[in-house]
Amino acid sequence: MEFIHSDLFTYVLIPLFIFFARIIDVSLGTLRIIFVTKGMSRIAPLIGFFEVLIWLLAISRIMQNLENWVCYVAYAAGFASGNLIGMLLEEKLAIGHEMIRVITRKDATTLINVLRETGHGVTWNSAQGVDGEVAVLYIIARRSMIEDVLSLINKHNPRALYTVEAIKYVNKEIFHRSEEARHHRWISNRGKKMGKYPVIESPQSQQ
């Protein structure tokens, strides 16, 4: 009991608990919002449950130590750190797809061919810009591959205008060639277990 009332417990351990609890619950909150915006509504409530539970543990310690100013600092610092860590986690996870819209006056044939050769689907059409005819390209890619696509655009059409737009839902999975073999193996194994789907061979195995 003496340890609970000691300065070490009051001014160090309790603030540390609040600090790390806030980091966890704010990080979870950031991920929950991202999952909701990406249409992943099944996992969001589960994350929300643990988010609020951890927040209640942190705020209860604040209410029990209203005269301890260190707890307030730990609470605010944990909130700020949690936002940063949540954003870093989201960038690492790179969940979902994004659409890249490219507008270029330069002939886009080379860029289109390079994108398709590297496994990225491209849809394009001609349009009329302020200074004449332009080509408009649409590429839907996994977020983890956006940097690769942008590097190809900057390499082959460095003066092109492009935007990257978030996509909430894609009704058909878009797979890069490097992922096709893994995807086909997953479908094949799933079909064997459920006994409902035929075995699908990967394109490489069919060649």
Side-chain angles (χ1 to χ4, degrees), residues 35-128:
F35 285 137
V36 170
T37 58
K38 296 296 182 182
M40 304 173 69
S41 56
R42 293 184 179 180
I43 192 173
L46 181 62
I47 293 177
F49 171 81
F50 289 103
E51 174 194 354
V52 172
L53 179 62
I54 295 171
W55 177 82
L56 286 173
L57 294 175
I59 200 66
S60 65
R61 288 298 176 180
I62 289 284
M63 300 305 294
Q64 293 173 8
N65 296 271
L66 292 176
E67 297 180 357
N68 187 350
W69 64 271
V70 182
C71 291
Y72 300 131
V73 175
Y75 188 90
F79 178 82
S81 301
N83 277 286
L84 176 61
I85 292 175
M87 290 186 292
L88 292 175
L89 284 174
E90 193 275 336
E91 290 179 2
K92 291 294 183 181
L93 292 174
I95 299 169
H97 297 78
E98 289 182 334
M99 184 180 74
I100 304 173
R101 189 198 315 265
V102 185
I103 302 175
T104 176
R105 285 185 294 174
K106 180 182 176 181
D107 181 22
T109 303
T110 301
L111 175 60
I112 293 171
N113 290 335
V114 169
L115 286 169
R116 287 174 175 170
E117 287 171 2
T118 53
H120 301 287
V122 183
T123 301
W124 73 279
N125 62 272
S126 298
Q128 195 68 27

